[in-house]
Amino acid sequence: MQLYNTLSAEERAIMIDDAGKQRLTLSFYAYAKIQDPQKFRNDLFIAWNALDALGRIYVANEGINAQMSVPAENFEAFRETLEAYDFMKGIRLNVAVEQDDHSFLKLTIKVRHKIVADGLNDDTFDVTNIGVHLKAKEFNEILDDPNTIVVDFRNHYESEVGHFKGAITPDVETFRESLPIINEQLKDHKDDKNLVMYCTGGIRCEKASAYFKHQGFKNVYQLEGGIINYAKQLKEEGLESKFIGKNFVFDNRLGERITDDIISQCHQCGKPCDNHTNCENDGCHLLFIQCDDCKAAMENCCSTECLEIIHMPLVDQVRLRTGKQVGNKVFRKGKSENLKFKHSGELPETALATAQKPADIRQKIKVKKVLLGKAEHYYVKAQVGQFTVENHELNSGDKILISGPTTGEQEMVLNRIIVNGAETQSAKIGDKITFEVPFRIRLSDKLYKIVN
């Protein structure tokens, strides 16, 4: 019985591209009493793995919190797996504004103490006594009320690229930090103001609204389904967007556009930009905003120090990380002295630029390709890449594609190849090949032959 992933993210990405079928990115949550979270987790994995559903899911005694990617053709079957549980009958599924077939590449279901790390003792207050849910139209109307205080219960790196106009945007890195800050900041308005809150998909506000009602706030409201559901209702009902910019999301997209306004800057050069990335140095992995020009110049790194490190041999990079914190503890969420144009706390509401219309996110599926092998080395001065051929044959004149998480997808025609040290016209399985590559390649890159 399979209860864990057996494929790597890269292998899964290839399978998704080869299938060429549309996938839907969605999220949902539910608070409920789950007696045996581990059994619940295992049952979900078996059901969802059979449907090729991928994602990041947390389950606990208090419920479930899920962000997922599901094949569109399996959507109704997936919904049936939820309807099998009484507490998820009729559950709202927040379907993403912008779809990307690679939003999730693994099915990861973890049992946690809580489905959201809020730092609260749930035994001290009634977690079911939540605020009033508001749909998009109602939310817009209450925002126009001068008696309203609207609070963003997301983190600084989320609100920086997009937020509701007039919102309080706490300069915090975690949800639990924002609760006492807002409670203290608004303690004199418990009776006379509307406390209106929002987050990405609604789950943080479920607990926060109950907490603030327990703290004595009389008029507590929350955006139903969060920003994701708000954006959906805007389109369906033709409403004005009170949200400006991009909605940060916790999958490989790192954001989906709500309006065309860019309100943030590249953290390195200050150019209008709202595209998040993670530093290429695995010993840093800093989350920050980087424009395409800086991405090319800095090779996806946040600093010159990290740029130097990624050019070291892999064994030296590992040595530098030895003994240091690893995993999530080493990852920093967008705070560094190297980021000269980082903004948090009070944020602007004036657009710095207008976003260009994105390319077809499924364009890559239209390119038929076969996997040839993987990158072995890149000779920087000579601009030559070395690969090992693991599948199929390769010939001079073939059109190839080099693909990787940082390299992206680069197509080129193979005019000249060196096979096992000698120039020739073809290569077979097991050969080591080198050829000129006018861009840096990385060990995570794969080599494909385009067949159409």
Side-chain angles (χ1 to χ4, degrees):
M1 183 183 300
Q2 182 184 339
L3 294 175
Y4 299 93
N5 283 285
T6 58
L7 296 176
S8 69
E10 291 179 343
E11 290 171 326
R12 180 72 70 175
I14 294 170
M15 290 179 62
I16 290 173
D17 284 352
D18 288 345
K21 295 181 179 180
Q22 180 183 0
R23 300 182 68 90
L24 299 175
T25 302
L26 55 89
S27 60
F28 63 93
Y29 67 89
Y31 280 100
K33 295 293 184 183
I34 299 177
Q35 298 300 322
D36 189 345
Q38 186 62 51
K39 181 180 184 304
F40 179 60
R41 178 261 176 214
N42 292 345
D43 290 344
L44 290 179
F45 191 96
I46 293 170
W48 291 347
N49 189 54
L51 296 176
D52 192 26
L54 308 172
R56 185 186 303 111
I57 302 94
Y58 299 130
V59 299
N61 287 116
E62 67 173 0
I64 181 171
N65 180 18
Q67 295 87 40
M68 304 189 67
S69 169
V70 179
E73 64 183 13
N74 293 342
F75 181 74
E76 291 305 323
F78 173 76
R79 186 187 289 277
E80 289 177 5
T81 67
L82 304 181
E83 298 281 345
Y85 299 90
D86 288 340
F87 73 90
M88 288 195 287
K89 288 185 181 298
I91 193 170
R92 181 186 61 250
L93 301 179
N94 285 334
V95 179
V97 177
E98 297 177 345
Q99 296 298 332
D100 186 338
D101 297 325
H102 289 184
S103 58
F104 289 99
L105 296 173
K106 289 187 177 182
L107 177 58
T108 304
I109 311 178
K110 295 184 177 181
V111 176
R112 291 282 180 87
H113 175 62
K114 286 193 170 188
I115 55 177
V116 175
D118 51 39
L120 298 174
N121 182 354
D122 294 355
D123 295 331
T124 62
F125 66 102
D126 184 358
V127 296
T128 66
N129 185 23
I130 60 177
V132 177
H133 283 84
L134 299 175
K135 296 187 182 299
K137 186 175 185 296
E138 299 167 321
F139 194 81
N140 280 357
E141 290 171 353
I142 204 168
L143 292 188
D144 290 333
D145 186 339
N147 217 36
T148 290
I149 297 175
V150 59
V151 181
D152 189 328
F153 275 97
R154 301 173 302 151
N155 307 323
H156 65 86
Y157 53 89
E158 299 174 78
S159 56
E160 184 178 9
V161 295
H163 52 263
F164 278 96
K165 299 173 183 177
I168 296 174
T169 52
D171 186 11
V172 297
E173 292 193 26
T174 62
F175 171 52
R176 69 173 68 191
E177 293 177 58
S178 63
L179 297 174
I181 291 175
I182 295 301
N183 191 38
E184 175 63 24
Q185 188 172 342
L186 303 181
K187 62 182 180 181
D188 296 330
H189 299 290
K190 294 184 177 182
D191 295 314
D192 64 337
K193 295 291 185 181
N194 299 319
L195 175 56
V196 180
M197 57 187 68
Y198 69 91
C199 57
T200 306
I203 188 170
R204 284 176 269 191
C205 294
E206 287 290 297
K207 189 66 71 69
S209 66
Y211 169 77
F212 282 102
K213 290 187 73 173
H214 174 71
Q215 292 297 317
F217 286 84
K218 303 300 182 186
N219 306 305
V220 181
Y221 302 86
Q222 61 193 89
L223 179 58
E224 183 180 77
I227 301 165
I228 297 174
N229 198 43
Y230 176 83
K232 178 184 177 184
Q233 292 177 28
L234 292 184
K235 291 184 177 181
E236 291 176 346
E237 301 176 32
L239 302 174
E240 172 195 1
S241 178
K242 299 282 187 178
F243 186 96
I244 181 172
K246 180 184 280 189
N247 180 30
F248 185 95
V249 292
F250 294 88
D251 57 56
N252 292 334
R253 296 171 300 156
L254 293 179
E256 55 184 16
R257 187 157 298 287
I258 308 300
T259 72
D260 292 333
D261 306 287
I262 297 176
I263 62 172
S264 53
Q265 298 171 281
C266 171
H267 286 163
Q268 293 176 318
C269 72
K271 181 187 299 182
C273 179
D274 55 10
N275 295 325
H276 276 99
T277 190
N278 285 108
C279 180
E280 182 70 12
N281 175 18
D282 285 337
C284 172
H285 211 66
L286 178 71
L287 178 71
F288 68 109
I289 298 173
Q290 188 178 49
C291 70
D292 291 341
D293 290 340
C294 288
K295 184 183 290 287
M298 297 296 294
E299 297 183 37
N300 224 82
C301 290
C302 70
S303 64
T304 54
E305 292 80 6
C306 286
L307 181 59
E308 292 173 357
I309 289 174
I310 68 167
H311 285 286
M312 293 180 178
L314 184 59
V315 64
D316 291 336
Q317 294 184 44
V318 173
R319 177 177 52 79
L320 287 175
R321 299 197 296 270
T322 302
K324 295 184 179 181
Q325 289 181 325
V326 295
N328 291 332
K329 292 181 180 179
V330 79
F331 298 161
R332 294 166 290 142
K333 299 296 186 182
K335 291 287 185 72
S336 170
E337 294 180 356
N338 293 318
L339 306 180
K340 299 178 181 179
F341 296 92
K342 165 69 183 174
H343 300 292
S344 56
E346 293 187 10
L347 298 171
E349 296 178 359
T350 303
L352 303 176
T354 301
Q356 297 180 348
K357 186 176 181 180
D360 180 5
I361 59 174
R362 294 194 173 87
Q363 189 65 36
K364 56 180 175 288
I365 295 177
K366 299 174 183 177
V367 178
K368 295 297 183 182
K369 59 186 185 293
V370 294
L371 177 65
L372 290 173
K374 61 183 180 180
E376 297 286 351
H377 192 70
Y378 182 65
Y379 301 91
V380 179
K381 291 185 178 179
Q383 290 190 308
V384 168
Q386 183 180 70
F387 296 80
T388 298
V389 179
E390 299 176 341
N391 303 289
H392 304 283
E393 292 186 352
L394 181 66
N395 299 297
S396 178
D398 283 344
K399 191 174 183 179
I400 61 171
L401 181 144
I402 298 174
S403 176
T406 300
T407 305
E409 295 195 344
Q410 306 285 347
E411 295 183 15
M412 56 183 289
V413 175
L414 198 60
N415 294 318
R416 180 172 177 263
I417 54 175
I418 305 297
V419 179
N420 300 326
E423 183 173 353
T424 184
Q425 296 297 309
S426 62
K428 61 183 183 302
I429 296 174
D431 287 342
K432 287 190 179 297
I433 62 172
T434 55
F435 52 88
E436 291 185 6
V437 185
F439 48 86
R440 176 178 169 77
I441 64 171
R442 295 162 177 82
L443 296 181
S444 57
D445 288 349
K446 301 292 185 182
L447 176 65
Y448 299 87
K449 178 164 69 173
I450 296 175
V451 296
N452 55 336

